[in-house]
């Protein structure tokens, strides 16, 4: 019984650390980057919205691609290229980091994420 409790507690601690651990090559940007083209090249950047389709239908940025986090491992190759910069649009920083970790493991080096929520 104590071993089970120890495993459970260590799993929770590892989860909390992983949730807050920074992702290399992920840069958080403000919403003004969508209108200000001087900071990063938004004309060649892919905007990846990793929210569910229902949330995407209610509010999204024109030109963004909707691939939910659950579908991302299976369909990312159809829409994204590792040579292009990607701006991740998510409902939370945690989901942005999850998407960035996956894309980084697939060779993406230019990863950006919104610092704020863009759909209130």
């Amino acid at each position: 019984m104590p071993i089970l409790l120890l495993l459970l507690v260590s799993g929770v601690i590892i989860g909390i650390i992983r949730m807050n651990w920074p992702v290399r090559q992920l840069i958080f940007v403000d919403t003004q980057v969508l209108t200000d083209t001087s900071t990063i090249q938004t004309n060649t950047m892919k905007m990846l919205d990793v929210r569910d389709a229902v949330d995407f239908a209610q509010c999204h940025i024109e030109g963004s691609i909707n691939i939910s986090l659950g579908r991302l491992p299976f369909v990312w190759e159809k829409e994204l290229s590792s040579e292009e910069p990607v701006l991740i649009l998510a409902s939370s920083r945690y989901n942005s980091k999850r998407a960035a970790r996956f894309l980084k493991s697939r060779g993406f080096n230019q990863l950006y994420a919104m610092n704020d929520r863009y759909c209130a």
Side-chain angles (χ1 to χ4, degrees), residues 50-71:
V50 295
R51 298 176 302 149
D52 291 332
V54 173
D55 295 330
F56 180 78
Q58 289 177 353
C59 174
H60 65 275
I61 296 174
E62 191 67 34
S64 62
I65 303 163
N66 180 234
I67 304 175
S68 65
L69 277 172
R71 292 179 42 231

Side-chain angles (χ1 to χ4, degrees), residues 83-120:
E83 288 82 32
E84 296 175 317
V86 176
L87 175 63
I88 300 168
L89 307 169
S91 58
S92 67
R93 288 178 72 94
Y94 173 69
N95 287 341
S96 295
K97 289 179 183 180
R98 282 182 58 197
R101 278 191 188 93
F102 173 78
L103 293 173
K104 183 178 173 249
S105 72
R106 298 303 188 265
F108 286 80
N109 292 318
Q110 296 176 318
L111 296 171
Y112 302 91
M114 296 299 273
N115 205 14
D116 303 321
R117 293 184 62 168
Y118 56 94
C119 287

Side-chain angles (χ1 to χ4, degrees), residues 21-42:
W21 197 263
V23 180
R24 290 181 104 186
Q25 285 109 8
L26 177 63
I27 300 169
F28 282 93
V29 295
D30 293 325
T31 53
Q32 70 186 15
V33 76
L34 297 172
T35 56
D36 182 18
T37 58
S38 64
T39 53
I40 53 178
Q41 296 180 349
T42 53

